[in-house]
Each structure stands twice: as structure tokens, then as C-alpha cells.
Amino acid sequence: MNSSKKLIRHKSLKKLLKDNPFSTDEQLAQMLGVSVQTIRLDRVTLGIPELRARTRTMAEDAQTKVRAIDKKDIVGELLDLELNKLGISTLKISADMVLEKTGIARGYYMFAMANTLALAVVDAEQALTAVGNVKYKVPVSAGATLVAKAVVTHKRIDKYYIFVSIKSNNEEVFRAKFIIVSMDKRAKQEREQEA
Amino acid sequence: MNSSKKLIRHKSLKKLLKDNPFSTDEQLAQMLGVSVQTIRLDRVTLGIPELRARTRTMAEDAQTKVRAIDKKDIVGELLDLELNKLGISTLKISADMVLEKTGIARGYYMFAMANTLALAVVDAEQALTAVGNVKYKVPVSAGATLVAKAVVTHKRIDKYYIFVSIKSNNEEVFRAKFIIVSMDKRAKQEREQEA
DNA sequence: CAGATATTATGAGCTGGTACTAAAAAGCAG
DNA sequence: CTGCTTTTTAGTACCAGCTCATAATATCTG
């Protein structure tokens, strides 16, 4: 019956750390009404690292997570690009991109993929989407690797008409037409040199 | 110039920490070929906290960031909802939602907001976007609070025609028309082809 | 050369630990 | 109650990665 106290404390400890992972052993000891040594012992048996290690792994995880978000921001990986002509990108649909209920990819990922690619194709410093026309043809599930192809159909002064088709396994799952407006201010591209 | 050396070192120091924020003073000292004390002094003058503090703030930031991403997944906050009739949601455009170059919100956030709302309005277990028709009227900058209003214009068997208008400060910045298809058993069969 | 600036050295003290040893307290069994 | 085990607490030595302060040395500059 003695160990039940310990078990309860272990659970409390885990919960406390979940709520606030930045607690020191001393704080935890006070919160649980036991000595610091007991907390240390508990941590060892539970395999919980010390505060600094916890903090550190969190920070490291965050770094990679931030990078992942950055990548997501690109919405697809550029494979080929001919400015003002065409562009090709891929995007792998991961489990967190699908609707829980259906297991089908949220529609805006395809939109984002197509839109991003369309914007990339336009050779302008600043470009904005004016109009979009999209059609979802086949639902996409997690694990699918999408390939988007954007083609500039015609250009009129500052307006680009772009057609984008997204395929999965050579089957067209999505298509879109965009009108992109360039707001180019003749900004010069500066090549950055490292000192 | 003596201080130029210092300036260069300060720049190098910043870059090194940007590349790897988990360096100790000792490692930095070795990398820059100076003593540990010099690094400490540099950090003080540059206002750079020690490794532990850096790690910690990174971890703390990460915590709040994860929450932000979770929220982002909702793509807007639902304010009002009448199934099969209308829905209203808001979305605050934060600094990380805009294009660096232009400071204008990436178009797919508005699309995602509108699309999510449109899907929410549909009273069906499983619903998919079939067609979308969007128009960006006014560029949106960071800090703007968007309000989206979705109205079901008409319904035909399993298809919902939904009109969405997004306003910022009572000015329409975006509008979209969606055709949403609710999925029944028949549609399920078609989906199974994929696997 | 002196004087200023920059760099390095040195040492005390702090936090939040680990690792280890040992003693005290609690639990329970016969 | 006595003995034995488990659990908890205490104490010491040691570590990383610092801060803070103080002083010495190196380097540059007029």
C-alpha cells in the first residue's frame, strides 16, 4: 500500500511537468510536499531528464519545427521553373494535412500549392492573386505525392493568366486558373555577398 | 582601426549564434580565436543572454508558437453558424502570414478561411469542395482582422452553392463562390479506387 | 612615450543539477 | 513489539555554464 502513494506522486509529477515543463526539482518538491531528493529519484525512475535538458530538447525541437513550417510555407517543393512560362512543384500530403473525419486532404493545401506555384512563375518582385478559379476533381488522401504544373497561358500588360494542374499518380486531382497581377516597381535584384 | 576587429567579431558572433544558438561561450571563443572572457564581454555589449537563457526563451516561444499553429489550423474563429444557411468567422492576420517582400497577406489564408467556413456551413458528415471561384479585391496587411460571411445560395441534391465574402473594416477584400459536395455511400465507392 | 582601448586572466559565487553514500522514517509480517 | 524491507530524506563532492568584479597585459594611436 505504500507504493500507491508513490504511484500517485509519479502521476502528479508527470502532470505538473506537462502543465509547466519549466519547473525545477525544488519547485516540484514543494508542490508535491516531498523533499528534493525524492523528486530526483522519481525523475530517474520515470526517465525524466533534468530541467536544462528538457528545456534544451524543447528548444531544439522547436527549431526543426520552425523549419518545417517554413517549408510548409513554400507549399510544395519547386522542381522546375521557367519564368513567365511554366513551373513544376511537388507536395507530399502528410497525415496532418487531412480532415480527421474523412482522411481526405483539406482543399486549401491544393489551392495553396497551386497558388504559390502560380506566383512563383510570375517574374515580378511583387505579385498578387486577383482571381482564382479552382476545381477539385478527385479527393486526395494522406501519403499521396502531388505534382503541380503551372503554365502561363497568356500575359496582358501586368496581368498573368496561369493554368495549374495538380496530378497524383498521373491522374488529375485538381485544376485552377489564376489571374495574377504584378506590382513590379522595377526593384533591382541584389546579389548578396558574404563578407 | 582596432575597433573594426571588434565589429567584425561582433557580426561573426551574431551569425554563429544564428546558425547554431546552442553554442557555449567556450565553443564560440574557440571558433573566433579569442578568449572566453572576450566572448562574454561581447555578449554583454550586444545584449545577448547566456546559452541557458537563450535555450529557455526558445523553448518558451516554441510553446506559444505551437498553440498558434493549432489555432491556425482552424483557419478563423467561428462566431455564428446556422447550418445550411450561413456562417460567420473571424481571422486575425499576423505578421507571419504575410509575404516578406510586400507585407501583404498570402492569398491562401483568405482562401482557407473562406473554404473552411463554407465547409462548416454544410450540414453533412462528409463534405468536399468541388469548385471554387475566388476574387481578391483588396490586399490585406498584417494586423487586419478579417470577418468572413458565408451564405448558402442554393442547394441541389448533394451540392451546396455557397457564397463567401471577407471584409476588413467593413470593406470587402475577398469573395468566393464554392460548390461543396456532400458525400454519401455512392461517392465513397469512387474514393475507394485510390487504394 | 603616455594614455586610451581592447583583451585576457583570475577568483569568488550562483543555479540546477548528477552521483553516491548513508541515515531516518514508514509499512508490514509474524 | 521486533525485525526486515521499502521509501524517503540528508549530506557531500562534483560539474557545466555561467555572472560579477577586479586586475593585469596587449595593442593601438596621437
Side-chain angles (χ1 to χ4, degrees), chain B residues 157-173:
Chain B
I157 315 170
D158 60 343
K159 289 201 178 75
Y160 293 77
Y161 296 76
I162 296 170
F163 176 79
V164 186
S165 168
I166 300 182
K167 287 183 183 177
S168 171
N169 263 338
N170 239 338
E171 179 189 31
E172 190 178 60
V173 295

Side-chain angles (χ1 to χ4, degrees), chain B residues 139-152:
Chain B
V140 176
S141 306
T145 302
L146 304 182
V147 179
K149 185 175 170 186
V151 181
V152 178

Side-chain angles (χ1 to χ4, degrees), chain B residues 33 43 56 118 126 159 168 185 192:
Chain B
R43 273 199 304 99
R56 173 154 190 159
Q126 305 193 349
K159 289 201 178 75
S168 171
K185 309 93 207 167
E192 240 73 307

Side-chain angles (χ1 to χ4, degrees), chain B residues 39-56:
Chain B
I39 296 293
R40 312 249 222 242
L41 222 139
D42 286 351
R43 273 199 304 99
V44 168
T45 61
L46 292 173
I48 298 170
E50 63 162 304
L51 165 63
R52 262 115 78 160
R54 292 197 302 269
T55 317
R56 173 154 190 159

Side-chain angles (χ1 to χ4, degrees), chain B residues 31-162:
Chain B
M31 286 190 272
L32 293 174
V34 291
S35 73
V36 176
Q37 283 72 13
T38 305
I39 296 293
R40 312 249 222 242
L41 222 139
D42 286 351
R43 273 199 304 99
V44 168
T45 61
L46 292 173
I48 298 170
E50 63 162 304
L51 165 63
R52 262 115 78 160
R54 292 197 302 269
T55 317
R56 173 154 190 159
T57 48
M58 284 175 65
E60 280 168 351
D61 285 1
Q63 274 223 321
T64 62
K65 211 171 245 176
V66 165
R67 276 180 214 134
I69 291 157
D70 285 351
K71 265 196 185 170
K72 206 190 270 180
D73 219 41
I74 302 161
V75 193
E77 202 178 334
L78 210 56
L79 293 186
D80 192 11
L81 185 67
E82 279 182 62
L83 285 174
N84 293 329
K85 282 187 185 168
L86 64 86
I88 293 171
S89 71
T90 58
L91 176 67
K92 174 132 182 151
I93 300 294
S94 60
D96 57 322
M97 293 162 118
V98 302
L99 293 155
E100 267 185 44
K101 280 187 198 168
T102 56
I104 291 168
R106 293 163 207 272
Y108 50 77
Y109 284 112
M110 274 83 85
F111 182 90
M113 183 189 187
N115 188 233
T116 310
L117 184 60
L119 285 170
V121 170
V122 172
D123 182 19
E125 276 297 295
Q126 305 193 349
L128 281 180
T129 309
V131 175
N133 214 299
V134 305
K135 190 166 190 178
Y136 293 86
K137 302 190 76 176
V138 180
V140 176
S141 306
T145 302
L146 304 182
V147 179
K149 185 175 170 186
V151 181
V152 178
T153 53
H154 54 284
K155 185 194 162 183
R156 203 178 286 169
I157 315 170
D158 60 343
K159 289 201 178 75
Y160 293 77
Y161 296 76
I162 296 170

Side-chain angles (χ1 to χ4, degrees), chain A residues 61-94:
Chain A
D61 285 1
Q63 273 224 320
T64 62
K65 211 170 247 174
V66 166
R67 274 182 213 137
I69 292 157
D70 283 351
K71 262 196 184 170
K72 208 189 265 182
D73 226 40
I74 300 161
V75 193
E77 200 178 335
L78 211 57
L79 292 186
D80 193 12
L81 185 68
E82 280 182 61
L83 284 173
N84 292 329
K85 282 187 184 168
L86 63 86
I88 293 172
S89 70
T90 58
L91 176 68
K92 174 132 181 151
I93 300 295
S94 59

